[in-house]
Every structure is written in C-alpha cells, then in structure tokens.
Amino acid sequence: MRLLPHTDADRAAMLAAIGVREIDDLFADVPEAARLKELPDLPRHASEIELERAMQRMADKNVAASSVPFFVGCGAYNHHVPATVDHLIQRSEFMTAYTPYQPEVAQGTLQYLFEFQTQVAMLTGMDVANASMYDGSTAASEAVLMAQRVTKRPKAVISTGLHPHYRAVIETFGHFSEHESVAVEDDEIAEALDDKTACVIVQTPDVFGRVHDLRKLADKVHEAGALLIVAVTEVLSLGALTPPGEMGADIVVAEGQSIGNGLNFGGPYLGLFATRQKYVRQMPGRLAGETTDEDGKRGFVLTLATREQHIRRDRATSNICTNSGLCALAFTIHLTLMGESGLRDLALANHRTAVALADDLAQVSGVKVLTDQFFNEFTIQVPGDGAQVIDKLADKGVLGGVPAARLWPDRPDLADRIIVAATETTTPEDRAAYVAALKEVLA
C-alpha cells in the first residue's frame, strides 16, 4: 500500500472542508469512556512460539461449549456440525478470488447461492430470498428499512419478545435513517398501530422461547396498511413449526448459524432474508438468478443487486457490501445432507430433549418452568438472583443458560429468570448434571 503523507496544512484544509475543528470531532459518536487516551501498553517483539503460548494461556480461560454440560442459547445455539460440511466447503471448487460472483469465473458460486436462496425461501414459506446477509440482527434492521421504503411510513412497532440485541441494532440503524421505533408487549401491538406504522416486528420462538401463532396478528397489521416482519433466531425450529410465510409474514429474517455453522465465539454468522415476490425490488443485498445462454445452456447470474456496489448510492436499497458467502455455503451443504426428513428429525430431537430437560428442572424445589409452548428453549424462574445462580452453576462446571438480567439489566422484575436451551448435543448425563448442580446451588 502506498504511503500518502499529509502536512499539517493538508489536514487542516481537509478538516475545514468537512466542517470539523479537529480529528477527535470525527469520533464524537463514540462514548468518551470507550476512547483510548493513549496507545495501549502492549509487549513488543515476541517470538512466534512465545506468542503462541501467550495466546494459548488466554484461550485456556474460556470454557468451550463441548467441554461441559451446556445450556446457553438466546440467539446462538450449540448444534453438531458434521465433519462432512467442513470437508466439502474446503474443496478447491469453492475456492475463488475476491468478487466471487463474477459469472465468467464463478458459476459454481452463483449456483450454490441460487440453491441457498431456494432453501431459505422453502424454509420460511416465502416467495424469494436473497444471497444472505451478515447476521440475523442486521437482517432485521434491513427489513425495517425495507418496510419503510414500501409503505413510505416512518414507525416500526417492535415486540418486547424480540431479542433485545436485535432491537438495539434496529434502533442504531434508525438513529441514522431517522425512522422511529416503539417497543410494546405483544398484547398491546394492536393499539400501537396507526397510519404512521410501517411494520410490526415480532419473533417466534421469541427470546423467552415462547412459540406464537401469528395469523390473527398478521390480519391486524395488514388492515392497518403495515407489513409484518417475523424474526427467527433459531432457524432449526422451522423444521418442526409452521413457517412464518404461511402465517402471513411479509418479510422473514433469521439467524442461520444453527445449520452448518459453529458458535465461533459469536461470529461470523449468517443472516437470512426472505420476502414476497411483489416486494423483491425493495429487498436489500443481492440475488443469484437462473437463466440460459444464447445456446440454451443453463447458467446463473447475479441479478437485482440493489446495493451501493452495483448502482448509484442514492438509489441503493442497502449499503451492505458483501454477504456471508462461506457461512451460506456451509448452511447449504448441511441442509442438503439432511434433506427435508433429516431436518424434521433433527428439529423433533431438539424439541424432545428440551421437553425432557424442562420436566427435569421442574422437579427441582423452587424452580418453575414459565414457558408452556416452546421448541428447544424455555424460561425458568428460580428463587433468588438468576445471574448469581448461573455463576454458581458455572463454578460447578455447568453452563446453565442466560440470566435475563444480562439482556435486561434495567428490568428487576426479570432478575429471577433464566433462559435455558437444549439441543441434540444435550445428553441425559448433561441433564442429570444440571439438575444435581442446581439442587446444590439452591439448597
């Protein structure tokens, strides 16, 4: 990379041109407490072996999901990824240079993206899906922006059952796009609808694990002239539950990590985005389409790429600059290996395990299972502080779930709640270990 030095006069001219006094003014949106006042005091000139050992010591402080009984979910789930998936995504056929969507060099890439889109559309019960987004939360934000473009209205009504991190991302996007959002309880959504409402966004199963039938809500939202956005943080649930598209959703967004992708310390993940055919030209990101060449041979092309890399910035529907291509490939391969029946079998296995776990925990004195209809995640109430219970369980080698206080630190009424997840990786021995540890902690 070339070095392009600037003089003090050059910098002063640039700052004056953009209307700020000093460089620190460019970071005014970063909280003061998060800014470094000086360079960090890092050790220098370590050898490779010294660096490896230092990094290993840091890594050893983590507790891997596979090393202990693990019941943490809330948007990221510990599922088994067959070794076949990792092997196939590393095949040379999928290795490509940057800009892998160039059709003259990457028909294979375009074909798997086309198949990925088909899988997502079928899973969600929608007409069309794009070629993936960064993750579920940013996909949800893009859905709100899309609903505002479609309806020409500014307001988003957000269910309190939506994961609070998703809501935070939506509000961050809204800060710069000047749309407004209000969060309401599910039974208050109808009253919140008005002629400014662009969309209602709900989650099922919601952040507490509750499964919702959205048909009546969809009718009310459509009567108000708004769009219904459904978020799914556990995409495996669509192997057993009614797809949102069949319940009247206009846009479906989801986190695809559960299929083909590991926990990866929180990323990279995979955003799924699907909608109705009539809204396809307002959909963010890009699509891979099927066509034929002049000889009638089947081929694949990038189409409807309404993002700023392909059209003028002021006409772009999104400024997303790439997709989660490798994660989408892993998703497509894993889902192809399972097939429709395999996906359903896996989903049902998850549900059976979660039901067994809920039954086990309900037998612990003082514990109450609060979620009556769930897929593989549910909420329990414990006597005392849920976060302290989780810490004590961790000391006994059990990662017992996510305390609600971690997601809602300003909600003391939720301080005794813990959100617990079970998957096909949860064994009877894991359940027994959880029950035994919880009894000791609550004794």
Side-chain angles (χ1 to χ4, degrees), residues 132-154:
S132 91
M133 309 197 80
Y134 296 136
D135 59 20
S137 66
T138 51
S141 299
E142 293 278 4
V144 172
L145 297 178
M146 175 177 156
Q148 291 168 338
R149 289 192 300 271
V150 170
T151 63
K152 312 296 184 188
R153 297 176 174 182

PDB file of all heavy atoms in Angstrom, residues 132-154:
ATOM      1  N   SER A 132     -28.002 -13.997   1.312  1.00  0.00           N
ATOM      2  CA  SER A 132     -27.518 -13.914   2.684  1.00  0.00           C
ATOM      3  C   SER A 132     -27.102 -12.502   3.068  1.00  0.00           C
ATOM      4  O   SER A 132     -26.761 -11.681   2.222  1.00  0.00           O
ATOM      5  CB  SER A 132     -26.374 -14.885   2.981  1.00  0.00           C
ATOM      6  OG  SER A 132     -25.110 -14.302   2.733  1.00  0.00           O
ATOM      7  N   MET A 133     -27.127 -12.283   4.386  1.00  0.00           N
ATOM      8  CA  MET A 133     -26.702 -11.021   4.972  1.00  0.00           C
ATOM      9  C   MET A 133     -25.742 -11.342   6.109  1.00  0.00           C
ATOM     10  O   MET A 133     -25.408 -12.492   6.339  1.00  0.00           O
ATOM     11  CB  MET A 133     -27.912 -10.221   5.432  1.00  0.00           C
ATOM     12  CG  MET A 133     -28.954 -10.093   4.316  1.00  0.00           C
ATOM     13  SD  MET A 133     -30.168  -8.814   4.575  1.00  0.00           S
ATOM     14  CE  MET A 133     -29.235  -7.390   4.052  1.00  0.00           C
ATOM     15  N   TYR A 134     -25.318 -10.314   6.840  1.00  0.00           N
ATOM     16  CA  TYR A 134     -24.271 -10.538   7.832  1.00  0.00           C
ATOM     17  C   TYR A 134     -24.720 -11.477   8.952  1.00  0.00           C
ATOM     18  O   TYR A 134     -24.042 -12.430   9.305  1.00  0.00           O
ATOM     19  CB  TYR A 134     -23.843  -9.214   8.449  1.00  0.00           C
ATOM     20  CG  TYR A 134     -23.199  -8.257   7.484  1.00  0.00           C
ATOM     21  CD1 TYR A 134     -23.539  -6.921   7.481  1.00  0.00           C
ATOM     22  CD2 TYR A 134     -22.251  -8.704   6.570  1.00  0.00           C
ATOM     23  CE1 TYR A 134     -22.948  -6.038   6.601  1.00  0.00           C
ATOM     24  CE2 TYR A 134     -21.658  -7.835   5.683  1.00  0.00           C
ATOM     25  CZ  TYR A 134     -22.015  -6.499   5.698  1.00  0.00           C
ATOM     26  OH  TYR A 134     -21.440  -5.637   4.830  1.00  0.00           O
ATOM     27  N   ASP A 135     -25.868 -11.156   9.552  1.00  0.00           N
ATOM     28  CA  ASP A 135     -26.384 -11.966  10.651  1.00  0.00           C
ATOM     29  C   ASP A 135     -27.864 -11.638  10.833  1.00  0.00           C
ATOM     30  O   ASP A 135     -28.424 -10.801  10.105  1.00  0.00           O
ATOM     31  CB  ASP A 135     -25.593 -11.752  11.950  1.00  0.00           C
ATOM     32  CG  ASP A 135     -25.619 -10.301  12.422  1.00  0.00           C
ATOM     33  OD1 ASP A 135     -26.513  -9.551  11.996  1.00  0.00           O
ATOM     34  OD2 ASP A 135     -24.754  -9.928  13.228  1.00  0.00           O
ATOM     35  N   GLY A 136     -28.487 -12.287  11.811  1.00  0.00           N
ATOM     36  CA  GLY A 136     -29.920 -12.086  11.992  1.00  0.00           C
ATOM     37  C   GLY A 136     -30.284 -10.677  12.400  1.00  0.00           C
ATOM     38  O   GLY A 136     -31.310 -10.129  11.967  1.00  0.00           O
ATOM     39  N   SER A 137     -29.463 -10.047  13.251  1.00  0.00           N
ATOM     40  CA  SER A 137     -29.827  -8.723  13.757  1.00  0.00           C
ATOM     41  C   SER A 137     -29.757  -7.657  12.670  1.00  0.00           C
ATOM     42  O   SER A 137     -30.643  -6.801  12.565  1.00  0.00           O
ATOM     43  CB  SER A 137     -28.920  -8.339  14.928  1.00  0.00           C
ATOM     44  OG  SER A 137     -27.585  -8.176  14.507  1.00  0.00           O
ATOM     45  N   THR A 138     -28.723  -7.684  11.841  1.00  0.00           N
ATOM     46  CA  THR A 138     -28.635  -6.703  10.760  1.00  0.00           C
ATOM     47  C   THR A 138     -29.670  -6.984   9.682  1.00  0.00           C
ATOM     48  O   THR A 138     -30.181  -6.046   9.044  1.00  0.00           O
ATOM     49  CB  THR A 138     -27.221  -6.683  10.147  1.00  0.00           C
ATOM     50  OG1 THR A 138     -26.836  -8.008   9.805  1.00  0.00           O
ATOM     51  CG2 THR A 138     -26.216  -6.112  11.116  1.00  0.00           C
ATOM     52  N   ALA A 139     -30.010  -8.256   9.488  1.00  0.00           N
ATOM     53  CA  ALA A 139     -31.091  -8.577   8.554  1.00  0.00           C
ATOM     54  C   ALA A 139     -32.407  -7.974   9.056  1.00  0.00           C
ATOM     55  O   ALA A 139     -33.213  -7.459   8.266  1.00  0.00           O
ATOM     56  CB  ALA A 139     -31.221 -10.092   8.389  1.00  0.00           C
ATOM     57  N   ALA A 140     -32.639  -8.029  10.382  1.00  0.00           N
ATOM     58  CA  ALA A 140     -33.858  -7.444  10.951  1.00  0.00           C
ATOM     59  C   ALA A 140     -33.895  -5.933  10.729  1.00  0.00           C
ATOM     60  O   ALA A 140     -34.943  -5.357  10.408  1.00  0.00           O
ATOM     61  CB  ALA A 140     -33.938  -7.766  12.443  1.00  0.00           C
ATOM     62  N   SER A 141     -32.760  -5.286  10.885  1.00  0.00           N
ATOM     63  CA  SER A 141     -32.693  -3.843  10.655  1.00  0.00           C
ATOM     64  C   SER A 141     -32.962  -3.508   9.199  1.00  0.00           C
ATOM     65  O   SER A 141     -33.678  -2.546   8.885  1.00  0.00           O
ATOM     66  CB  SER A 141     -31.313  -3.311  11.058  1.00  0.00           C
ATOM     67  OG  SER A 141     -31.084  -3.544  12.423  1.00  0.00           O
ATOM     68  N   GLU A 142     -32.388  -4.299   8.286  1.00  0.00           N
ATOM     69  CA  GLU A 142     -32.628  -4.065   6.865  1.00  0.00           C
ATOM     70  C   GLU A 142     -34.111  -4.283   6.534  1.00  0.00           C
ATOM     71  O   GLU A 142     -34.666  -3.609   5.663  1.00  0.00           O
ATOM     72  CB  GLU A 142     -31.768  -5.009   6.025  1.00  0.00           C
ATOM     73  CG  GLU A 142     -30.271  -4.750   6.121  1.00  0.00           C
ATOM     74  CD  GLU A 142     -29.808  -3.623   5.204  1.00  0.00           C
ATOM     75  OE1 GLU A 142     -30.672  -2.993   4.550  1.00  0.00           O
ATOM     76  OE2 GLU A 142     -28.590  -3.371   5.141  1.00  0.00           O
ATOM     77  N   ALA A 143     -34.752  -5.215   7.224  1.00  0.00           N
ATOM     78  CA  ALA A 143     -36.179  -5.465   6.989  1.00  0.00           C
ATOM     79  C   ALA A 143     -37.017  -4.249   7.374  1.00  0.00           C
ATOM     80  O   ALA A 143     -37.982  -3.899   6.680  1.00  0.00           O
ATOM     81  CB  ALA A 143     -36.624  -6.696   7.771  1.00  0.00           C
ATOM     82  N   VAL A 144     -36.664  -3.613   8.489  1.00  0.00           N
ATOM     83  CA  VAL A 144     -37.389  -2.405   8.914  1.00  0.00           C
ATOM     84  C   VAL A 144     -37.219  -1.293   7.878  1.00  0.00           C
ATOM     85  O   VAL A 144     -38.183  -0.621   7.499  1.00  0.00           O
ATOM     86  CB  VAL A 144     -36.901  -1.951  10.299  1.00  0.00           C
ATOM     87  CG1 VAL A 144     -37.498  -0.585  10.655  1.00  0.00           C
ATOM     88  CG2 VAL A 144     -37.270  -2.974  11.358  1.00  0.00           C
ATOM     89  N   LEU A 145     -35.985  -1.114   7.408  1.00  0.00           N
ATOM     90  CA  LEU A 145     -35.736  -0.090   6.384  1.00  0.00           C
ATOM     91  C   LEU A 145     -36.527  -0.394   5.115  1.00  0.00           C
ATOM     92  O   LEU A 145     -37.083   0.507   4.473  1.00  0.00           O
ATOM     93  CB  LEU A 145     -34.242  -0.011   6.069  1.00  0.00           C
ATOM     94  CG  LEU A 145     -33.320   0.421   7.214  1.00  0.00           C
ATOM     95  CD1 LEU A 145     -31.865   0.406   6.754  1.00  0.00           C
ATOM     96  CD2 LEU A 145     -33.694   1.796   7.723  1.00  0.00           C
ATOM     97  N   MET A 146     -36.586  -1.671   4.763  1.00  0.00           N
ATOM     98  CA  MET A 146     -37.328  -2.057   3.560  1.00  0.00           C
ATOM     99  C   MET A 146     -38.820  -1.777   3.727  1.00  0.00           C
ATOM    100  O   MET A 146     -39.480  -1.273   2.804  1.00  0.00           O
ATOM    101  CB  MET A 146     -37.100  -3.543   3.274  1.00  0.00           C
ATOM    102  CG  MET A 146     -37.927  -4.082   2.118  1.00  0.00           C
ATOM    103  SD  MET A 146     -37.551  -5.813   1.781  1.00  0.00           S
ATOM    104  CE  MET A 146     -39.077  -6.327   0.987  1.00  0.00           C
ATOM    105  N   ALA A 147     -39.364  -2.088   4.893  1.00  0.00           N
ATOM    106  CA  ALA A 147     -40.788  -1.833   5.146  1.00  0.00           C
ATOM    107  C   ALA A 147     -41.091  -0.347   5.041  1.00  0.00           C
ATOM    108  O   ALA A 147     -42.158   0.057   4.540  1.00  0.00           O
ATOM    109  CB  ALA A 147     -41.166  -2.362   6.523  1.00  0.00           C
ATOM    110  N   GLN A 148     -40.174   0.472   5.471  1.00  0.00           N
ATOM    111  CA  GLN A 148     -40.390   1.922   5.372  1.00  0.00           C
ATOM    112  C   GLN A 148     -40.333   2.403   3.924  1.00  0.00           C
ATOM    113  O   GLN A 148     -41.050   3.324   3.547  1.00  0.00           O
ATOM    114  CB  GLN A 148     -39.355   2.644   6.237  1.00  0.00           C
ATOM    115  CG  GLN A 148     -39.615   2.410   7.720  1.00  0.00           C
ATOM    116  CD  GLN A 148     -38.479   2.860   8.597  1.00  0.00           C
ATOM    117  OE1 GLN A 148     -37.348   2.982   8.141  1.00  0.00           O
ATOM    118  NE2 GLN A 148     -38.766   3.112   9.852  1.00  0.00           N
ATOM    119  N   ARG A 149     -39.495   1.774   3.120  1.00  0.00           N
ATOM    120  CA  ARG A 149     -39.471   2.124   1.692  1.00  0.00           C
ATOM    121  C   ARG A 149     -40.771   1.714   1.014  1.00  0.00           C
ATOM    122  O   ARG A 149     -41.307   2.436   0.178  1.00  0.00           O
ATOM    123  CB  ARG A 149     -38.284   1.431   1.000  1.00  0.00           C
ATOM    124  CG  ARG A 149     -36.936   1.975   1.351  1.00  0.00           C
ATOM    125  CD  ARG A 149     -35.862   1.436   0.391  1.00  0.00           C
ATOM    126  NE  ARG A 149     -35.741  -0.013   0.413  1.00  0.00           N
ATOM    127  CZ  ARG A 149     -34.943  -0.683   1.247  1.00  0.00           C
ATOM    128  NH1 ARG A 149     -34.226  -0.019   2.134  1.00  0.00           N
ATOM    129  NH2 ARG A 149     -34.877  -2.000   1.195  1.00  0.00           N
ATOM    130  N   VAL A 150     -41.288   0.534   1.385  1.00  0.00           N
ATOM    131  CA  VAL A 150     -42.502   0.022   0.750  1.00  0.00           C
ATOM    132  C   VAL A 150     -43.717   0.855   1.138  1.00  0.00           C
ATOM    133  O   VAL A 150     -44.546   1.213   0.291  1.00  0.00           O
ATOM    134  CB  VAL A 150     -42.716  -1.461   1.135  1.00  0.00           C
ATOM    135  CG1 VAL A 150     -44.097  -1.939   0.685  1.00  0.00           C
ATOM    136  CG2 VAL A 150     -41.631  -2.335   0.525  1.00  0.00           C
ATOM    137  N   THR A 151     -43.843   1.177   2.418  1.00  0.00           N
ATOM    138  CA  THR A 151     -45.054   1.843   2.917  1.00  0.00           C
ATOM    139  C   THR A 151     -44.944   3.361   2.932  1.00  0.00           C
ATOM    140  O   THR A 151     -45.965   4.037   3.110  1.00  0.00           O
ATOM    141  CB  THR A 151     -45.356   1.370   4.345  1.00  0.00           C
ATOM    142  OG1 THR A 151     -44.283   1.757   5.209  1.00  0.00           O
ATOM    143  CG2 THR A 151     -45.538  -0.145   4.395  1.00  0.00           C
ATOM    144  N   LYS A 152     -43.726   3.887   2.822  1.00  0.00           N
ATOM    145  CA  LYS A 152     -43.493   5.342   2.945  1.00  0.00           C
ATOM    146  C   LYS A 152     -43.915   5.851   4.314  1.00  0.00           C
ATOM    147  O   LYS A 152     -44.386   6.974   4.469  1.00  0.00           O
ATOM    148  CB  LYS A 152     -44.241   6.118   1.856  1.00  0.00           C
ATOM    149  CG  LYS A 152     -44.072   5.578   0.459  1.00  0.00           C
ATOM    150  CD  LYS A 152     -42.649   5.664  -0.016  1.00  0.00           C
ATOM    151  CE  LYS A 152     -42.549   5.205  -1.476  1.00  0.00           C
ATOM    152  NZ  LYS A 152     -41.140   5.096  -1.931  1.00  0.00           N
ATOM    153  N   ARG A 153     -43.803   5.018   5.317  1.00  0.00           N
ATOM    154  CA  ARG A 153     -44.145   5.386   6.683  1.00  0.00           C
ATOM    155  C   ARG A 153     -42.903   5.289   7.573  1.00  0.00           C
ATOM    156  O   ARG A 153     -41.994   4.507   7.273  1.00  0.00           O
ATOM    157  CB  ARG A 153     -45.250   4.474   7.213  1.00  0.00           C
ATOM    158  CG  ARG A 153     -46.577   4.580   6.465  1.00  0.00           C
ATOM    159  CD  ARG A 153     -47.556   3.564   7.011  1.00  0.00           C
ATOM    160  NE  ARG A 153     -48.886   3.698   6.445  1.00  0.00           N
ATOM    161  CZ  ARG A 153     -49.918   2.944   6.809  1.00  0.00           C
ATOM    162  NH1 ARG A 153     -49.764   2.019   7.739  1.00  0.00           N
ATOM    163  NH2 ARG A 153     -51.092   3.130   6.243  1.00  0.00           N
ATOM    164  N   PRO A 154     -42.881   6.019   8.705  1.00  0.00           N
ATOM    165  CA  PRO A 154     -41.638   6.096   9.486  1.00  0.00           C
ATOM    166  C   PRO A 154     -41.534   5.152  10.701  1.00  0.00           C
ATOM    167  O   PRO A 154     -40.449   4.955  11.225  1.00  0.00           O
ATOM    168  CB  PRO A 154     -41.644   7.545   9.973  1.00  0.00           C
ATOM    169  CG  PRO A 154     -43.097   7.866  10.156  1.00  0.00           C
ATOM    170  CD  PRO A 154     -43.838   7.082   9.090  1.00  0.00           C
TER     171      PRO A 154
END
